[in-house]
Amino acid sequence: MKQPIIITKINTNEEGISIFSEAIFDVNHRGGMFLTDQITAKNFRIRKSNVGYTTAFHLAGDATFIIILKGSLKIELQNGDAKIFNVGESFIAEDNLPESIAFNDKIHGHKASVIGDEPLEAIHIKL
């Protein structure tokens, strides 16, 4: 069945506030598989973070596709919205500000926390 692939995104609205949205990738049938068109990537890294690791509010900088391999990662926005990503789940972090807006950690960005009983392992693919 040819259904698009939908991935959660963290991006910014017109006021520069980080929000959750969705990226929709259409797929094409190809030899028994359903594939998206090619997506250009710059590089990738493998990440490990210990249980209890947390960040301050920050912006993504470069757009990054993150795939959870082990553990759970909670992403929180300034407005209180939060999502937990578990093994096999993914998201794209691409919240950023125009150069004309100065980052304020009380207004902008998202923060991440490793939750649960096991460390986080993830793949970060820079888009």
Side-chain angles (χ1 to χ4, degrees):
M1 181 172 252
K2 184 178 173 179
Q3 295 183 5
I5 295 172
I6 300 171
I7 298 175
T8 297
K9 281 176 50 173
I10 306 165
N11 56 353
T12 46
N13 65 15
E14 48 283 339
E15 287 89 39
I17 305 302
S18 295
I19 58 171
F20 287 118
S21 64
E22 294 179 335
I24 299 172
F25 296 92
D26 290 324
V27 296
N28 300 301
H29 185 255
R30 189 172 187 182
M33 299 181 285
F34 293 96
L35 294 171
T36 66
D37 289 337
Q38 287 187 350
I39 301 167
T40 302
K42 296 177 184 176
N43 62 55
F44 79 94
R45 295 186 269 184
I46 301 169
R47 166 190 176 171
K48 288 188 174 193
S49 296
N50 291 326
V51 172
Y53 170 85
T54 189
T55 68
F57 279 98
H58 65 283
L59 296 168
D62 294 334
T64 305
F65 178 51
I66 299 168
I67 306 164
I68 308 300
L69 300 174
K70 180 180 176 182
S72 297
L73 185 66
K74 180 178 182 181
I75 301 293
E76 297 176 72
L77 306 181
Q78 293 279 3
N79 66 4
D81 287 351
K83 291 188 182 234
I84 297 172
F85 297 91
N86 297 301
V87 175
E89 296 180 321
S90 60
F91 64 97
I92 298 170
E94 64 177 10
D95 53 342
N96 219 335
L97 295 173
E99 289 183 21
S100 61
I101 298 176
F103 176 74
N104 179 333
D105 68 356
K106 305 289 186 253
I107 300 171
H108 305 117
H110 66 276
K111 67 179 181 177
S113 304
V114 176
I115 60 171
D117 297 332
E118 61 182 329
L120 179 75
E121 289 183 12
I123 295 175
H124 284 213
I125 301 172
K126 292 287 185 182
L127 302 175

